[in-house]
Amino acid sequence: MALTTRTLGSDDRPGKDGTGSVDGHGRGLTVSALGLGAMGMSDLYGPADEAESTATIHAAFDAGVTLIDTGDFYGMGHNELLIRDALRSSGRARGEVAVSVKFGAQRSYDGQWLGYDASPNAVKTALAYTLRRLGTDYVDVYRPARLDPQVPIEETVGAIAEMVQAGHVRHIGLSEVGAETLRRAHAVHPIVDLQIEYSLISRGIEAAILPTARELGIGITAYGVLSRGLISGHWQADRAFAAGDFRSLSPRFQAGNVDANLKLVEALRAVAEAKDATVAQVAIAWVLAQGEDIVPLVGARRRERLTEALGAAGLTLGAADLAAIEEAVPAGAASGDRYVAAQMAHLDSER
C-alpha cells in the first residue's frame, strides 16, 4: 500500500506550487507518514551489514518513505556517507527525499562521548562537513542533537537561521528539548518539528511538551517508537548483546526491568493477534494514531523489519482498540529510565 503524507509544522506562506509545503520557503514540510531512522545502520546497535542497509534504504524509498533521519556523529560520519551513496544509487532526485540531520555531539576516535557543542561557529562548521559528506548543498531539517548547556538556544537557532537564509538549510528542528526551550527557540525562527522519544512506554511528552508543540504549530518526529526493539515483539530477555550495542547499558534492558517490560509486550501481543497484526505494527500504529502532526521514525536495519514496520500504516485502530492497548500498556508502566542517569541529565526534555 502507498504511504500517506503528513505535514510537519504549520505554514504561513504558500510555496511555489501553491501548497506551501515543500519548497523550503514556508514553515511546513510534507513527508511520508512514516520516516526511516538510519542510526542503527552505522552505530550503537552493534555491527550492521552495509549492503543490507543500502537495500533497506532503497526499499524504504520504493515503498514511499520520503524522510530519512541521521546524525553527523552516527559512526562519525559513516551514516551520512551511507545515505549519500544510497541516494545516488537509488536514482532518485535530491528533492524527492527529505534528509534530517542532527549535530552537536562530540566524539573521539574510539567512539567515546565528549560532550556537546552547539555554538554558532560549531553549527556552521558541522553543517559544512555534513553537506560535503552527503554530497548536497542543503539539508531539509537541521537540528542540535541536545541542548548545549553552555550556549543559549537563541544563539544556536540564530546561527542555523543564517544557514536558512544562505540556502543550505530548509527547515530548523530541535531534539529532546522541553516546552520552555521550544518557546524560546520558536521566537527566534519558526521550528518545523521536535524530534523526541515517544512510544507506548515513553509518554513523558504528553504532559507539557506535546501541548506546547501543538500550540506553536510544531510537528513531532517520534523516535524510539519500538523502544529500541524492546516492544517490537521480537526481543527475548536472554538475548546476548553484540559488541558496541548501547542497549547492554540501557536501564530498560537490565535484569528485572526487562522481564517486567516484556510482560507488557505479551499483554500487547494479545491485542495485536486480535487485529491480525504484529506487536510492532500495533505499537507503531498507536503512535500514528496520536495525531496527524506526529511522524514516527522506524529504525529498521533490514528489509524484513522495514516491511513489518510499514505494515503499521495500513492498520486502523478504533476507540475499542486504543482502549485495549491502554489497558495492556498503561502510561507510566515501563520499568527503568530510557537512558542511564548521566545521559538523562543531558535531556532538557526531562527537566
Side-chain angles (χ1 to χ4, degrees), residues 200-201 225-239 247 253 258 261-273 277-284 302 305 308-309 329:
L200 273 169
I201 62 171
V225 293
L226 296 179
S227 198
R228 301 159 183 83
L230 181 59
I231 60 171
S232 67
H234 303 295
W235 196 268
Q236 301 294 324
D238 59 353
R239 175 172 166 173
R247 291 172 293 190
F253 288 84
V258 70
N261 291 326
L262 290 178
K263 287 181 180 178
L264 299 175
V265 174
E266 291 311 305
L268 187 62
R269 194 183 304 277
V271 179
E273 290 175 349
T278 69
V279 173
Q281 288 169 343
V282 169
I284 297 167
R302 304 195 306 275
R305 290 289 184 252
E308 179 185 19
V329 188

Side-chain angles (χ1 to χ4, degrees), residues 291-302:
E292 290 291 320
D293 54 350
I294 299 174
V295 174
L297 297 172
V298 296
R301 300 196 292 171
R302 304 195 306 275

Side-chain angles (χ1 to χ4, degrees), residues 54 77 90 92 100 140 195 222 224 246 264 269-270 275-276 317 320 327:
T54 299
S90 73
R92 281 168 171 74
S100 166
D140 297 272
Q195 188 174 119
F246 90 103
L264 299 175
R269 194 183 304 277
K275 295 288 294 181
D276 194 25
L317 299 178
E327 182 177 356

Side-chain angles (χ1 to χ4, degrees), residues 163-174:
M163 298 298 94
V164 173
Q165 291 299 314
H168 298 312
V169 173
R170 293 288 173 86
H171 302 273
I172 300 178
L174 293 174

Side-chain angles (χ1 to χ4, degrees), residues 1 50 111 137 205:
M1 61 164 289
E50 191 162 316
D137 59 358
I205 73 170

Side-chain angles (χ1 to χ4, degrees), residues 7-30 171:
T7 298
L8 295 168
S10 57
D11 202 341
D12 294 331
R13 298 171 293 173
K16 297 175 183 176
D17 63 355
T19 66
S21 58
V22 294
D23 77 340
H25 298 286
R27 286 173 53 193
L29 175 66
T30 297
H171 302 273

